[in-house]
Amino acid sequence: MSPKTTIVLLLQGLSLFSLVLASDPDPVQDFCIPNPPPTSPTTPKHVTAATTIHPCKDAAEATAGDFVFSGMKTPGNFSETGFASIPVNPTTFPGLNTMGMSFVRADFKPGAINPPHFHPRATEIAHVVEGRLYAGFVDSNNKVFARVLEKGEVMVFPRGLMHFQMNVGEVPATIFGSFNSQNPGSQRIPAAVFGSGIDNSLLEKAFGLSSKEIVMMRRKFDPKATVKP
């Protein structure tokens, strides 16, 4: 085997290995209820079941209640923009631990939006429970795939691609979203750009905005930041 062939095979193997590592690991048992629970007083504040491996409760001590979550019956707290969400992962619902999935309830007042964002570690599938929503995503060629979704319709948002929703109806709208990772992550584009501390001069050149306009955007998406024109 030539050196070039060896290098090519090695790179292909590493690429495949990285793809495997990018997904949640397969469970090695029926279930794993974290012990202690992620919300236990003895658990450090920075530790969550979504990101940390916990010892499992003895399966004989598990109950039906470990596999039931009742926190999505009503909307969450609405923001000033009329959007509310209830993310559900092993931190709030221990029965999801090691299952490789999580979900969310999102509610929209008329005209409210879920701004452009993406999930780096999961594909999302969203089911419209009530209302009408303009929803879609943008692929890596900057092509937008969007349409108005009616009650009962479902749309999938591929992992890592920017997507969005807006209530275009005259009544509140609700969607239930499911992710194929217990820790999908979420990064909102406006906050990531203007609320992360990227140098002002770079943002001015990238977006053709003045220094004062950049400051205004920073104050909007990161109110705690101290910025100067």
Side-chain angles (χ1 to χ4, degrees):
M1 184 180 295
S2 69
K4 285 187 177 181
T5 303
T6 302
I7 293 174
V8 169
L9 291 175
L10 177 60
L11 291 176
Q12 289 177 338
L14 289 174
S15 176
L16 178 60
F17 183 64
S18 65
L19 288 174
V20 171
L21 290 181
S23 302
D24 286 12
D26 288 333
V28 294
Q29 54 204 27
D30 291 342
F31 52 81
C32 175
I33 306 301
N35 184 28
T39 54
S40 168
T42 61
T43 304
K45 293 182 179 180
H46 68 280
V47 173
T48 67
T51 59
T52 306
I53 297 175
H54 291 264
C56 305
K57 177 194 294 187
D58 188 331
E61 298 178 3
T63 67
D66 289 322
F67 305 97
V68 176
F69 181 76
S70 303
M72 296 176 65
K73 295 180 179 180
T74 58
N77 297 322
F78 284 94
S79 67
E80 295 179 356
T81 62
F83 175 73
S85 67
I86 303 176
V88 183
N89 54 52
T91 301
T92 53
F93 184 10
L96 287 177
N97 190 43
T98 72
M99 297 297 168
M101 65 178 300
S102 55
F103 50 99
V104 65
R105 170 176 176 152
D107 291 271
F108 304 74
K109 292 182 179 180
I113 69 168
N114 188 6
H117 63 285
F118 66 93
H119 306 290
R121 293 179 291 276
T123 292
E124 176 183 3
I125 187 165
H127 172 221
V128 181
V129 180
E130 294 289 347
R132 300 173 68 245
L133 288 153
Y134 172 70
F137 65 90
V138 180
D139 72 6
S140 56
N141 292 315
N142 288 332
K143 180 179 179 180
V144 63
F145 297 83
R147 55 166 282 183
V148 174
L149 302 178
E150 306 285 347
K151 178 180 177 179
E153 292 190 305
V154 173
M155 187 168 191
V156 64
F157 305 113
R159 182 175 68 178
L161 294 187
M162 182 184 73
H163 55 282
F164 49 83
Q165 297 101 19
M166 177 174 66
N167 185 353
V168 294
E170 298 180 355
V171 298
T174 300
I175 63 173
F176 285 167
S178 180
F179 307 93
N180 64 340
S181 171
Q182 71 176 42
N183 184 31
S186 182
Q187 191 162 33
R188 293 175 181 264
I189 304 301
V193 173
F194 296 105
S196 61
I198 297 175
D199 187 81
N200 280 13
S201 59
L202 185 149
L203 295 177
E204 290 171 22
K205 294 177 180 179
F207 295 99
L209 299 175
S210 68
S211 177
K212 289 184 178 180
E213 289 172 323
I214 294 295
V215 170
M216 290 176 59
M217 297 297 284
R218 282 200 183 282
R219 287 173 177 165
K220 180 177 181 179
F221 293 105
D222 188 9
K224 296 180 181 179
T226 301
V227 290
K228 298 179 180 180

